[in-house]
Structure formats: C-alpha cells, structure tokens
Amino acid sequence: MGSGSSVNANYKYSLQKSENAFKAAVLIQQWYRRYVARLEMRRRCTWRIFQSIEYACEQDQIKLHNFFSYLMDHFTPSSSKERDFISRMFISGESFKEAELEKYCDYESLEVPDSYTGPRLSFPLLPDHATALLEAFKQKQQLHARYVLNLLHETRKHLKQLPNISHVSTCYSEEVTVCGDLHGQLDDLFLIFYKNGLPSPSKSYVFNGDFVDRGKQSLEILIILFTFLLIYPKEVHLNRGNHEDHMVNLRYGFAKEVMQKYKVHGKKILKMVQNVFCWLPLATLIDQKVLIIHGGISDTTDLDMLEKIQRNKPRPTQAPSMANRLEFSKWVRQTVQEQIEWCRRLVDISESEDEELTYSSVVSLTDLDGPCWTRQEEWKQILDILWSDPMPQEGCRVNTVRGGGCYFGPDVTEKILEKYNLQFLIRSHECKQEGYEFCHNRKVLTIFSASNYYEIGSNRGAYVKLGPDLVPHFVQYQANKTAHTLTMTQRISRVEESAFRALREKLFAHTSALISAFKAYDKDNTGRITLSNWATAVESVLHLGLPWRMLRPQLVRNTANGMLEYKSWLGDLAMEQRSQEHIQSSLLEVIYRNRSNLETIFRIIDRDHSGLISFEEFHQTWKLFSSHMNIEVTDDGINDLVRSIDFNKDGNIDFNEFLEAFRLVKQA
C-alpha cells in the first residue's frame, strides 16, 4: 500500500514537472515570436524610410529636369552671347555630330608613357584582356585614359549595330544569368563572377541596367562589362537603366567619380560615355518568352514601337530648337504651375504645394498634333520601361513617388503577357531585402544585385539563372565580409540607426516648413501640439508616406502628457546637425534641403567639369534663374554678387562659393 502511494506521488511529480516544462517552452516560444515580430517590424520601418528618401530624391531629379526644360522653353536670350551660352549649357552627348565626337574623343592622340604599369588593351579584345582588367582592378590599378576612350569608341560602334530589343536563346548556352542593379559596387560583380563563372560561349549574361552611380567604382564596372561585351557579343547583353543618363549621373556621383579619377581627360571620357549610354538596348527577350526591362511597363507599352524607336535620340525636352518650341509649350503648360512652385520653393519664396500630375494628364498628350505626339509618345515608351514599378492594386497610374514612369498593376502585366505571348517579366530598379522578389502572381520578378545597398547588412544581392525550361534559379550573396559576422539583431540595429540618421537630416532640412505646419495646430501659440498632430504635420511637409506614429518613439524622446514642445524638438535636431557642420542653423537648413539640386545645377553650368565656373557663366545662369524666380537682380547687382563671393579672387567660382551666392540671394 505504501509502495503504491509512493509511485503515485512520483507520477504526479513527474507530470507536474512535464507540465511546467511545457508551459516554459510555450512562454519561450511566445517570447521568441514576439521578439522576431518586433525585429521584423523594425526592419520594415527601416526599409520604408530608406526607400521613401531615395524615391523623393529621384522625384527631385525629374523636377529639376522639367524645371530646366521650362526655363529653356520660356527664356528669351537678349543677345547672341546668351543664346550661345544656353545652347552650350544644354547640349548633350547624343547631340554631338559623328565627326565632332570622333575628333573630340580622339584616343589615338594620347600617348601611354613607359612608366605606366597598368593593363594594356589591343583590339580586337581577347579573353586574356578581360582577365588582366579584373586582376588590375582588384589591385586598385587604373586603366589609362587612351585605353578607356578606345574601349568606349569600340563599344559605341558595336552598340549602334544592335536592335532596341536584344534576343537571347537558351539553345546556344546551358543557361542565361540575369543580373540587376550594380550601382558602382565592384565587389558584387567580382562575387557574381566568382560564384557563377566569367562570361563565355557557354555562359550568357544579361545585365539589366543601373551599372553606375552611388557606388565608388562605376567606371570600373563599365569597363569590365564593355570588355566582355566586345569579346562575347552573342553571350553578353546590356540593358539601359534609368541611371544610364547624363543628368542623373550629375546628381548621383558617376560624373564626379570620372573627373576625380581622370582629371586631365575626364571630360572626354564623360562625353563618350554619355553617347554610349544613348545606344544601349532598351530590353532583352529570352526565347521569345521572358521579357527583361529595367523598370517596368504601363498600359500603353508597345513592344513593336520600342523595336522601331531611334533610341539614341535626345529626350524631347532637352536642348529644344526653335522648330520644336511649340511642341514643348504644349507639354509644359500641363505642369508649368508645378515647376514654378518648385523653383520658388528652392529659395523659400512660396510654401504652396505642388499640384499632383495625374496619369490621365500624361496620356492626354495624344491630343497633340501628329508629329509632336509621335516624339512624345516614343519618349514616354522609354520613360515607362526605365522608371516604372509594379503595384498590388489593379490599374495603371502615374508614379508620383519617383516622379517618372508609372505604377502598373497585375491586370496590366497580364494584358502585356497575353498580347505578346510571354511567360513572365524580369525587372530590377528596386532594392529588395533578399535580392529578389516575385509579385503579380509570380509573373513579375524583381532582381537586384547590389548587396548592402543602403547600409552594411541592409540587403542581400542576387542573380537569377534560366535554363531551357525557363524556370528561375536564384543565387543570393553578401559581398561585404562584415555583414557575415553580424547577428540579425546587430544587422537591423545598424541599418536602423543609419535610416533614422538620414530621416533626422530630412526633418532638419524642412525646419521652416515644419514650424509653419505645427503652428497651424497651435492656435493658442503655446509652443506645444499633440503627438497625433505632430505626425500629421510632418507627413504634410515631407510627403514620404511613412508611419510617423510608429516611428515617433525614435524621433521624439521628450514629451509631457502626450504633448510635444515642437520648437525645442526642432532645436535638438539643429544641434545634432550643427555638431557635424559648423554653420549657422538657418543656412545649414537651406543647404541640407537644396544641396543635391544646387550641386546638379552647378555641374550643368560647369561644362568642362573642372569644379569651377567662370564669371560670365555665373552671370548668364543667374540672369536665367532670376527672371523666373521673382528675384530682382540687375546686371550690376549680379556683378557685385559675383565679385563678393569670389573669396580667393581667382576669377572663378567653386561650389562652396556658389552656395554662398544662393545664401546671399535668399537673404536679399
């Protein structure tokens, strides 16, 4: 009897112990799931911050282009000297006549000194040349300018013979590898070649645009890709991306990179690259079943038209001749108010909002006369495939986030696939955390090959391989060794810190507009507003589409009873930025908000990319701007201004002096 009682007690104890262990396991599991969910929420918020800021910057770039188009359309030069300056300012690489470009970029006149120890090229190129280039770039060596120009010359000759849409067949190689955006990150390209092998007769590649900008080795990537293109013209295919564009390169770093690396011949290299970009094919078709474009499509995408477009023609709004002024006037009238308000805000003349451009207003350009519309329609076809993004909703609408192209829904994808008997689309253009992502019922595949794009640990890079069955096989990677050593928590924390730092800079750059927005909710002038009103006001100024209430704990630390002292909060933002830049707060705000636009404008004026602009160029440019920005500045006033900001009295103006001119005019 006693023995039975003991067994029963042991059983109950064992049962209780198991039950406690089970409860503990459930609690641990619940805690872990909440922990992972919080990490995922932080990751998604961080991702949205980076993308919103990136796309807002691209929107500024489109607006800047439209702004110059508007000025060109409405500015009447008062002299032949002004007319020559304006024409020179906007002449692009594709506008060069054939003979002029050949003479200007004459590589044969450049001598390679005996002291040069870098790689040497001779044409036609051989696989050994490509191998030598790869090794040289790994050793941080630089290719001589003569060989760069020679390579660009041969690449241009080859590209001019190619159709707008390249056709690739898996019958001639085991598989086709498709790579997305590289953005000047050479280590990613090296890793792709290490994992997948170099291009060869049995290994075809399609590189889907955005080879340059942002990263520091864009030119090396171009040299490698162009070299393999010439060695294996049937196996290597290059699509044009939205960053293969001179105006975009002025803002995002490629132009600056070339001039820093080739101080003597950089201008020639840039001009030649600019022309080569105009000849890049627009799309690639694999086995007539898989369409590869950089950005996306729209409900007006016409592959038959894309096949026939003269892709090297300049965009319609660039360097207009007198014969085309009427065409531009019709187009500009639809967005003139937006451009006027934007350029006024550049100097804080007006805080009024832009009018949103609807997709229907863009499509309504079909009302224009035949020849005018044809040119606009052709450019719109190119703009859509370079700039568009997919969206989960049905339909097609203007891409107001990027400022160019459109958002296209699954119904638009289905329509294009059915019309041209395609299986699916491959596009790039968007950074994805895993390097790739399917959408539209797996009919649209985004592939992005620049790992650690926003910050170390922010994303993987990826490429996709297609065999004769056209089933995609993905390879993911991290090119940065540091990223491999970070835990998930460390990786998210590091990326999150970088994202919020960029967001605080963005907030600081709009201090004046934020104060006005906050005061609208502070009727009694108490200096305090609710956190809900804070979130609404911030979004009304920045238009980033971010979940501000969710982000608030990271941005607003000191609150009392749910109220925010907004002037104190903005003061803290100013202190944070001033700790990095020892400049007065008001000027620093203006510079933060407009620096990219001003630097792009400076580089447009600085036609020889010397980093300096002459007094005459400054005078003519300021006259151009002031006539459209309600700034009353006489010729004598401009001359006084230019002399006052030439601090070192060298007869030229550098970028810092250009910023000073902007500050002086703003204060006037």
Short mmCIF file of all heavy atoms in Angstrom, two decimals, residues 401-437:
data_model
loop_
_atom_site.label_atom_id
_atom_site.label_comp_id
_atom_site.label_asym_id
_atom_site.label_seq_id
_atom_site.Cartn_x
_atom_site.Cartn_y
_atom_site.Cartn_z
N VAL A 401 5.75 58.94 -56.70
CA VAL A 401 6.81 58.76 -55.70
C VAL A 401 8.19 58.98 -56.33
O VAL A 401 9.04 59.70 -55.79
CB VAL A 401 6.73 57.35 -55.07
CG1 VAL A 401 7.89 57.13 -54.11
CG2 VAL A 401 5.40 57.19 -54.35
N ARG A 402 8.42 58.38 -57.50
CA ARG A 402 9.70 58.57 -58.18
C ARG A 402 9.70 59.85 -59.03
O ARG A 402 10.75 60.42 -59.29
CB ARG A 402 10.01 57.38 -59.08
CG ARG A 402 10.42 56.11 -58.35
CD ARG A 402 10.94 55.10 -59.35
NE ARG A 402 11.14 53.78 -58.78
CZ ARG A 402 12.29 53.36 -58.26
NH1 ARG A 402 13.32 54.16 -58.20
NH2 ARG A 402 12.40 52.13 -57.79
N GLY A 403 8.51 60.23 -59.49
CA GLY A 403 8.43 61.40 -60.36
C GLY A 403 8.52 61.07 -61.83
O GLY A 403 8.47 61.95 -62.69
N GLY A 404 8.65 59.79 -62.19
CA GLY A 404 8.72 59.36 -63.59
C GLY A 404 8.18 57.96 -63.74
O GLY A 404 8.19 57.17 -62.80
N GLY A 405 7.72 57.62 -64.95
CA GLY A 405 7.15 56.30 -65.18
C GLY A 405 5.79 56.17 -64.53
O GLY A 405 5.10 57.15 -64.27
N CYS A 406 5.40 54.93 -64.24
CA CYS A 406 4.07 54.69 -63.67
C CYS A 406 4.12 53.54 -62.67
O CYS A 406 5.13 52.86 -62.53
CB CYS A 406 3.07 54.37 -64.78
SG CYS A 406 3.31 52.74 -65.52
N TYR A 407 3.02 53.35 -61.97
CA TYR A 407 2.76 52.13 -61.20
C TYR A 407 1.84 51.27 -62.04
O TYR A 407 0.81 51.74 -62.52
CB TYR A 407 2.07 52.45 -59.88
CG TYR A 407 2.95 53.05 -58.82
CD1 TYR A 407 2.70 54.32 -58.32
CD2 TYR A 407 4.03 52.34 -58.31
CE1 TYR A 407 3.51 54.88 -57.34
CE2 TYR A 407 4.83 52.89 -57.34
CZ TYR A 407 4.57 54.16 -56.86
OH TYR A 407 5.37 54.70 -55.90
N PHE A 408 2.20 50.01 -62.23
CA PHE A 408 1.34 49.12 -63.03
C PHE A 408 0.88 47.94 -62.18
O PHE A 408 1.65 47.39 -61.39
CB PHE A 408 2.07 48.64 -64.29
CG PHE A 408 3.31 47.82 -64.05
CD1 PHE A 408 3.28 46.43 -64.10
CD2 PHE A 408 4.53 48.44 -63.79
CE1 PHE A 408 4.43 45.68 -63.89
CE2 PHE A 408 5.69 47.70 -63.56
CZ PHE A 408 5.64 46.31 -63.63
N GLY A 409 -0.38 47.58 -62.34
CA GLY A 409 -0.98 46.52 -61.56
C GLY A 409 -0.93 45.17 -62.25
O GLY A 409 -0.50 45.06 -63.41
N PRO A 410 -1.40 44.11 -61.57
CA PRO A 410 -1.36 42.75 -62.14
C PRO A 410 -2.18 42.62 -63.42
O PRO A 410 -1.85 41.79 -64.28
CB PRO A 410 -1.93 41.87 -61.02
CG PRO A 410 -2.59 42.80 -60.06
CD PRO A 410 -1.89 44.11 -60.18
N ASP A 411 -3.25 43.42 -63.55
CA ASP A 411 -4.05 43.35 -64.78
C ASP A 411 -3.26 43.88 -65.97
O ASP A 411 -3.39 43.35 -67.09
CB ASP A 411 -5.35 44.14 -64.62
CG ASP A 411 -5.11 45.60 -64.23
OD1 ASP A 411 -4.14 45.87 -63.49
OD2 ASP A 411 -5.88 46.46 -64.67
N VAL A 412 -2.42 44.90 -65.75
CA VAL A 412 -1.59 45.44 -66.82
C VAL A 412 -0.54 44.41 -67.23
O VAL A 412 -0.28 44.20 -68.42
CB VAL A 412 -0.92 46.75 -66.38
CG1 VAL A 412 0.02 47.29 -67.46
CG2 VAL A 412 -1.97 47.80 -66.02
N THR A 413 0.05 43.75 -66.23
CA THR A 413 1.02 42.69 -66.52
C THR A 413 0.40 41.58 -67.34
O THR A 413 0.96 41.13 -68.36
CB THR A 413 1.58 42.11 -65.21
OG1 THR A 413 2.26 43.12 -64.48
CG2 THR A 413 2.52 40.94 -65.48
N GLU A 414 -0.78 41.14 -66.93
CA GLU A 414 -1.46 40.04 -67.63
C GLU A 414 -1.77 40.42 -69.07
O GLU A 414 -1.63 39.61 -69.99
CB GLU A 414 -2.76 39.69 -66.88
CG GLU A 414 -3.37 38.36 -67.29
CD GLU A 414 -2.44 37.18 -67.04
OE1 GLU A 414 -1.80 37.14 -65.99
OE2 GLU A 414 -2.35 36.30 -67.95
N LYS A 415 -2.16 41.65 -69.25
CA LYS A 415 -2.51 42.13 -70.61
C LYS A 415 -1.28 42.10 -71.52
O LYS A 415 -1.36 41.64 -72.67
CB LYS A 415 -3.06 43.56 -70.50
CG LYS A 415 -3.30 44.24 -71.83
CD LYS A 415 -3.69 45.70 -71.62
CE LYS A 415 -3.69 46.48 -72.92
NZ LYS A 415 -3.94 47.93 -72.71
N ILE A 416 -0.13 42.57 -71.01
CA ILE A 416 1.09 42.58 -71.83
C ILE A 416 1.57 41.16 -72.12
O ILE A 416 1.98 40.84 -73.24
CB ILE A 416 2.20 43.39 -71.12
CG1 ILE A 416 1.82 44.87 -71.04
CG2 ILE A 416 3.54 43.23 -71.83
CD1 ILE A 416 1.75 45.59 -72.37
N LEU A 417 1.53 40.30 -71.10
CA LEU A 417 1.96 38.91 -71.29
C LEU A 417 1.11 38.21 -72.34
O LEU A 417 1.62 37.48 -73.20
CB LEU A 417 1.89 38.15 -69.96
CG LEU A 417 2.84 38.60 -68.85
CD1 LEU A 417 2.67 37.72 -67.61
CD2 LEU A 417 4.29 38.58 -69.31
N GLU A 418 -0.18 38.43 -72.26
CA GLU A 418 -1.10 37.79 -73.21
C GLU A 418 -0.92 38.35 -74.62
O GLU A 418 -0.91 37.60 -75.60
CB GLU A 418 -2.54 38.00 -72.74
CG GLU A 418 -3.58 37.29 -73.62
CD GLU A 418 -5.00 37.47 -73.09
OE1 GLU A 418 -5.16 37.91 -71.92
OE2 GLU A 418 -5.93 37.19 -73.85
N LYS A 419 -0.74 39.65 -74.71
CA LYS A 419 -0.62 40.30 -76.02
C LYS A 419 0.61 39.82 -76.78
O LYS A 419 0.56 39.61 -78.00
CB LYS A 419 -0.56 41.82 -75.83
CG LYS A 419 -0.44 42.60 -77.14
CD LYS A 419 -0.43 44.10 -76.87
CE LYS A 419 -0.29 44.88 -78.17
NZ LYS A 419 -0.28 46.35 -77.94
N TYR A 420 1.72 39.60 -76.06
CA TYR A 420 2.97 39.23 -76.72
C TYR A 420 3.37 37.77 -76.45
O TYR A 420 4.51 37.39 -76.74
CB TYR A 420 4.08 40.18 -76.28
CG TYR A 420 3.82 41.61 -76.72
CD1 TYR A 420 3.37 42.56 -75.80
CD2 TYR A 420 3.98 42.00 -78.04
CE1 TYR A 420 3.11 43.86 -76.20
CE2 TYR A 420 3.72 43.30 -78.44
CZ TYR A 420 3.27 44.23 -77.51
OH TYR A 420 3.01 45.51 -77.91
N ASN A 421 2.46 37.00 -75.90
CA ASN A 421 2.68 35.56 -75.67
C ASN A 421 3.93 35.32 -74.82
O ASN A 421 4.81 34.53 -75.16
CB ASN A 421 2.80 34.82 -77.01
CG ASN A 421 2.70 33.31 -76.84
OD1 ASN A 421 2.08 32.82 -75.90
ND2 ASN A 421 3.31 32.58 -77.76
N LEU A 422 4.01 36.04 -73.69
CA LEU A 422 5.14 35.92 -72.78
C LEU A 422 4.76 35.12 -71.54
O LEU A 422 3.59 35.07 -71.16
CB LEU A 422 5.60 37.32 -72.34
CG LEU A 422 6.04 38.29 -73.45
CD1 LEU A 422 6.24 39.67 -72.88
CD2 LEU A 422 7.31 37.80 -74.13
N GLN A 423 5.77 34.53 -70.87
CA GLN A 423 5.52 33.78 -69.64
C GLN A 423 5.61 34.69 -68.41
O GLN A 423 4.77 34.62 -67.52
CB GLN A 423 6.50 32.62 -69.52
CG GLN A 423 6.26 31.50 -70.51
CD GLN A 423 7.16 30.30 -70.26
OE1 GLN A 423 7.79 30.19 -69.21
NE2 GLN A 423 7.24 29.41 -71.23
N PHE A 424 6.66 35.52 -68.33
CA PHE A 424 6.79 36.44 -67.21
C PHE A 424 7.78 37.55 -67.55
O PHE A 424 8.47 37.50 -68.58
CB PHE A 424 7.18 35.72 -65.91
CG PHE A 424 8.52 35.02 -65.93
CD1 PHE A 424 9.66 35.63 -65.44
CD2 PHE A 424 8.63 33.71 -66.42
CE1 PHE A 424 10.88 34.99 -65.44
CE2 PHE A 424 9.85 33.05 -66.42
CZ PHE A 424 10.98 33.70 -65.93
N LEU A 425 7.83 38.56 -66.68
CA LEU A 425 8.73 39.70 -66.84
C LEU A 425 9.83 39.63 -65.78
O LEU A 425 9.58 39.25 -64.64
CB LEU A 425 8.00 41.03 -66.68
CG LEU A 425 6.73 41.29 -67.50
CD1 LEU A 425 6.16 42.65 -67.12
CD2 LEU A 425 7.02 41.25 -68.98
N ILE A 426 11.03 40.05 -66.15
CA ILE A 426 12.11 40.26 -65.18
C ILE A 426 12.47 41.74 -65.22
O ILE A 426 12.66 42.31 -66.30
CB ILE A 426 13.35 39.41 -65.49
CG1 ILE A 426 13.01 37.91 -65.40
CG2 ILE A 426 14.50 39.75 -64.54
CD1 ILE A 426 14.19 37.00 -65.72
N ARG A 427 12.51 42.36 -64.06
CA ARG A 427 12.88 43.77 -63.98
C ARG A 427 13.79 43.97 -62.77
O ARG A 427 14.00 43.04 -61.98
CB ARG A 427 11.63 44.67 -63.90
CG ARG A 427 10.50 44.20 -63.00
CD ARG A 427 10.55 44.77 -61.61
NE ARG A 427 10.46 46.22 -61.63
CZ ARG A 427 10.47 46.98 -60.54
NH1 ARG A 427 10.56 46.40 -59.33
NH2 ARG A 427 10.40 48.28 -60.60
N SER A 428 14.33 45.17 -62.61
CA SER A 428 15.23 45.47 -61.49
C SER A 428 14.71 46.74 -60.82
O SER A 428 13.59 46.77 -60.38
CB SER A 428 16.67 45.62 -62.00
OG SER A 428 17.09 44.41 -62.63
N HIS A 429 15.57 47.77 -60.68
CA HIS A 429 15.10 49.12 -60.34
C HIS A 429 14.72 49.31 -58.87
O HIS A 429 14.68 50.44 -58.40
CB HIS A 429 13.90 49.45 -61.24
CG HIS A 429 13.53 50.90 -61.30
ND1 HIS A 429 14.45 51.91 -61.42
CD2 HIS A 429 12.32 51.51 -61.28
CE1 HIS A 429 13.82 53.07 -61.47
NE2 HIS A 429 12.54 52.86 -61.39
N GLU A 430 14.44 48.24 -58.13
CA GLU A 430 14.05 48.36 -56.72
C GLU A 430 14.92 47.45 -55.87
O GLU A 430 15.06 46.26 -56.17
CB GLU A 430 12.59 47.96 -56.52
CG GLU A 430 11.57 48.98 -56.96
CD GLU A 430 10.16 48.52 -56.60
OE1 GLU A 430 9.64 47.58 -57.23
OE2 GLU A 430 9.57 49.10 -55.66
N CYS A 431 15.46 48.00 -54.80
CA CYS A 431 16.22 47.18 -53.86
C CYS A 431 15.28 46.26 -53.08
O CYS A 431 14.24 46.70 -52.59
CB CYS A 431 16.98 48.09 -52.90
SG CYS A 431 18.00 47.19 -51.70
N LYS A 432 15.63 44.99 -52.99
CA LYS A 432 14.85 44.00 -52.24
C LYS A 432 15.73 43.37 -51.17
O LYS A 432 16.90 43.08 -51.41
CB LYS A 432 14.30 42.92 -53.19
CG LYS A 432 13.36 43.46 -54.27
CD LYS A 432 12.12 44.09 -53.67
CE LYS A 432 11.19 44.64 -54.73
NZ LYS A 432 10.01 45.31 -54.16
N GLN A 433 15.14 43.13 -50.01
CA GLN A 433 15.95 42.64 -48.89
C GLN A 433 16.65 41.33 -49.21
O GLN A 433 17.81 41.13 -48.83
CB GLN A 433 15.08 42.45 -47.64
CG GLN A 433 15.92 42.12 -46.42
CD GLN A 433 15.10 41.65 -45.24
OE1 GLN A 433 13.94 41.30 -45.39
NE2 GLN A 433 15.70 41.64 -44.07
N GLU A 434 15.98 40.43 -49.91
CA GLU A 434 16.58 39.14 -50.23
C GLU A 434 17.28 39.14 -51.58
O GLU A 434 17.76 38.10 -52.04
CB GLU A 434 15.50 38.04 -50.21
CG GLU A 434 14.87 37.82 -48.84
CD GLU A 434 15.89 37.44 -47.78
OE1 GLU A 434 16.83 36.68 -48.11
OE2 GLU A 434 15.77 37.90 -46.63
N GLY A 435 17.28 40.28 -52.26
CA GLY A 435 17.92 40.36 -53.57
C GLY A 435 16.97 40.09 -54.72
O GLY A 435 17.29 40.39 -55.87
N TYR A 436 15.83 39.49 -54.42
CA TYR A 436 14.82 39.24 -55.47
C TYR A 436 13.45 39.16 -54.81
O TYR A 436 13.32 38.98 -53.60
CB TYR A 436 15.11 37.94 -56.22
CG TYR A 436 14.84 36.68 -55.43
CD1 TYR A 436 13.60 36.03 -55.51
CD2 TYR A 436 15.81 36.13 -54.58
CE1 TYR A 436 13.35 34.86 -54.77
CE2 TYR A 436 15.56 34.98 -53.85
CZ TYR A 436 14.33 34.36 -53.95
OH TYR A 436 14.07 33.22 -53.22
N GLU A 437 12.42 39.31 -55.64
CA GLU A 437 11.05 39.23 -55.13
C GLU A 437 10.08 39.03 -56.29
O GLU A 437 10.21 39.66 -57.34
CB GLU A 437 10.70 40.52 -54.38
CG GLU A 437 9.31 40.51 -53.74
CD GLU A 437 9.02 41.79 -52.98
OE1 GLU A 437 9.46 41.89 -51.81
OE2 GLU A 437 8.40 42.70 -53.56
#
